[in-house]
């Protein structure tokens, strides 16, 4: 088996740095506060945007946070996808891989005292899987080795 090429090693290193960086950010209360000011939804969309919505009690603020997370997970998935050789069912594999990564973040947050609860944990893992699916589905093959 041949040794990996230098560009491949660089892609693997990039994927590891991006994954580690977002993992650390996910555990940082300060990062959460900076990316999630108390009134972000009301600042952007007006006074009614931050209130709880019907029928599920989800505010626009929460929807924005989930959109941020999907974008971040897609970036993690994109760099991971670039590190792997071209393969079939890339979207499925990335959804599973990034979903597992998201589950690891949820577990680490739980160990640090998060009290989100299992429903929100599942929603966050689903956001990870969606981000991974996006990365696997839309990573151009021409970017790969």
């Amino acid at each position: 088996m041949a040794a990996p090429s230098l560009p491949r090693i660089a892609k693997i290193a990039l994927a590891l740095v991006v994954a580690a960086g977002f993992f650390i950010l996910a555990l940082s209360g300060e990062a959460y506060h900076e990316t999630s000011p108390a009134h972000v939804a009301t600042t952007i969309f007006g006074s009614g945007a931050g209130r709880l919505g019907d029928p599920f009690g989800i505010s626009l603020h929460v929807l924005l946070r989930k959109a941020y997370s999907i974008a971040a997970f897609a970036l993690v998935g994109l760099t991971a996808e670039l590190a792997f050789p071209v393969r079939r069912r890339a979207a499925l594999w990335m959804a599973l891989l990034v979903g597992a990564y998201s589950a690891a973040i949820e577990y680490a947050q739980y160990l640090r005292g998060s009290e989100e609860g299992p429903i929100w944990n599942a929603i966050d893992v689903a956001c990870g899987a969606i981000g991974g699916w996006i990365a696997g589905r839309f990573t151009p093959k021409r970017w790969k080795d």
Side-chain angles (χ1 to χ4, degrees), residues 6-22 75-84 101 143:
L6 189 57
R8 177 110 189 273
I9 291 170
K11 289 175 184 179
I12 292 168
L14 176 64
L16 292 172
V17 167
V18 168
F22 275 110
L75 183 58
V76 169
L78 171 69
T79 59
E81 177 62 23
L82 293 175
F84 286 108
Y101 168 81
W143 290 2

Side-chain angles (χ1 to χ4, degrees), residues 69-97:
S69 75
I70 290 171
F73 286 127
L75 183 58
V76 169
L78 171 69
T79 59
E81 177 62 23
L82 293 175
F84 286 108
V86 175
R87 66 194 178 292
R88 295 180 53 177
R89 298 189 178 131
L92 174 63
W93 283 110
M94 278 299 107
L96 293 172
L97 178 69

